[in-house]
Amino acid sequence: MPEGFSVDVKKAVGHKSPAEIVACNRRDYLLYALSIGVPYNELQWLYENDAQFGPLPTYALSLLLKGDDWDVNVFKERFNSGGGIPGVPPYDPDRILHGEQSLEVVQPFPVKGGRFKATKTVLGVYDKGSGMVIESALDLFGENDNVHYCRMISKMFVVGYGGWNGPKGPSTPKYTPPADRAPDVSSTFHTQPSQALMFRLNADFNPLHADPDVAGRVGFPRPILHGLCSYGHAGYLITKHFANGDRNRFKSISSRFASPVLPGQDVQFDFWKVPHDANSFGVIFTAKVKNRPVLANGYAIIANEPAAKL
């Protein structure tokens, strides 16, 4: 930790950044689907004229760092858009790792894309000893109709900025795969050496995923794959196998990023269907490279299949 680094948690928690406009279109949906490994023959996600075309439910997570244009952005500027957080001193953005992510779908995204107001609220700043965690919520609303589309809660881990005697943070629910049965669905994602270079085109231009020098400074042998790429692939598989491809049944997803994937590695996904409530069911999931977890404590909620009309 840099000498003298300390956080005023009372000033930080509850801070709301000014609303920003973010935008997307069908081309973004197509690129996202390709970049998370959707197979070429699943045209529902890859061809805008398919009768069932629409964005994958996890697409909204791409808007965490996207503005309202389509040019390459500067990660440091986008991550700190809306200004710094009161009570949090400056820190090195190259040391940011994605710790946890959740997505709650309030209204399915419009098929043709659109413009949205993004409002960010700081929920907590935690001292984990080896680093600092910043938890924030981003809500997306239609720019003109004010429809609330989703809420995304992120926990970002800043390596080396812990030890300032701050709160450790609340515990999160634990989702443990059933020990008495095999997964209901298993699948392997064969990532490509260029996977991170493709996924970053969704607007996450963090140099950690492209620049070997930046990756080396943080302790990685080479640039790593975005956690949200593996996360998005999990969401795609859940939609395919548990919602019968119906994106409107997808209600939420959450997971912890346990360790990084290096582009070119194979990621093994396992899924277990479990009870949730009267209107929906849960899906517990894990992702591993060999025996090393990369996504942990994964959980999604899928609405029950609509009753057939008489």
Side-chain angles (χ1 to χ4, degrees):
M1 180 182 70
E3 185 176 353
F5 187 88
S6 183
V7 175
D8 189 333
V9 175
K10 290 183 179 179
K11 287 184 178 179
V13 175
H15 171 70
K16 292 182 180 293
S17 301
E20 288 192 292
I21 299 299
V22 297
C24 62
N25 57 29
R26 288 174 292 178
R27 182 181 180 278
D28 296 310
Y29 298 160
L30 299 172
L31 175 61
Y32 177 77
L34 280 174
S35 71
I36 64 165
V38 172
Y40 72 93
N41 56 351
E42 297 194 25
L43 296 182
Q44 173 185 1
W45 314 115
L46 297 171
Y47 181 46
E48 68 280 2
N49 290 326
D50 187 270
Q52 302 301 317
F53 175 73
L56 282 157
T58 52
Y59 170 77
L61 293 165
S62 292
L63 298 178
L64 288 168
L65 292 171
K66 191 177 184 300
D68 62 350
D69 63 36
W70 282 263
D71 198 1
V72 173
N73 61 50
V74 178
F75 173 74
K76 295 179 182 180
E77 295 176 357
R78 289 306 307 153
F79 185 81
N80 292 310
S81 63
I85 301 173
V88 179
Y91 53 86
D92 182 359
D94 286 341
R95 303 188 73 82
I96 295 171
L97 298 176
H98 208 151
E100 297 182 33
Q101 183 66 54
S102 70
L103 164 68
E104 177 190 358
V105 177
V106 181
Q107 180 75 20
F109 246 48
V111 171
K112 292 187 177 182
R115 293 171 61 84
F116 310 91
K117 292 181 292 186
T119 61
K120 183 187 291 186
T121 305
V122 176
L123 302 180
V125 183
Y126 311 123
D127 182 353
K128 297 297 186 180
S130 60
M132 170 179 64
V133 170
I134 300 173
E135 182 180 19
S136 59
L138 190 77
D139 291 280
L140 288 183
F141 300 87
E143 181 184 29
N144 296 319
D145 57 17
N146 214 38
V147 170
H148 189 190
Y149 283 97
C150 63
R151 164 166 271 215
M152 299 171 279
I153 297 179
S154 306
K155 291 184 179 179
M156 310 305 288
F157 186 80
V158 189
V159 178
Y161 284 82
W164 39 273
N165 296 318
K168 301 304 179 186
S171 59
T172 56
K174 296 293 187 290
Y175 302 107
T176 304
D180 59 347
R181 59 186 174 93
D184 295 301
V185 172
S186 294
S187 181
T188 301
F189 178 20
H190 303 287
T191 72
Q192 300 302 308
S194 60
Q195 201 78 48
L197 296 174
M198 182 183 295
F199 186 85
R200 70 193 299 265
L201 300 180
N202 292 301
D204 185 344
F205 293 102
N206 186 340
L208 177 63
H209 306 293
D211 190 325
D213 291 336
V214 172
R217 287 201 300 270
V218 185
F220 297 116
R222 54 189 173 91
I224 62 174
L225 184 61
H226 306 68
L228 285 179
C229 181
S230 301
Y231 190 103
H233 193 82
Y236 146 70
L237 290 172
I238 291 167
T239 306
K240 176 180 179 177
H241 293 289
F242 295 93
N244 196 29
D246 183 354
R247 69 189 185 96
N248 297 310
R249 293 175 58 195
F250 193 103
K251 298 304 177 186
S252 70
I253 185 172
S254 62
S255 182
R256 177 171 62 86
F257 300 106
S259 65
V261 174
L262 296 177
Q265 292 181 323
D266 290 346
V267 185
Q268 173 70 30
F269 291 85
D270 292 310
F271 303 89
W272 294 261
K273 182 177 178 180
V274 295
H276 184 75
D277 61 25
N279 300 311
S280 59
F281 58 88
V283 179
I284 294 174
F285 65 93
T286 63
K288 297 179 179 181
V289 171
K290 297 182 178 178
N291 291 320
R292 174 174 58 84
V294 295
L295 292 179
N297 207 39
Y299 191 72
I301 298 175
I302 302 297
N304 293 336
E305 190 170 4
K309 294 181 179 180
L310 298 178

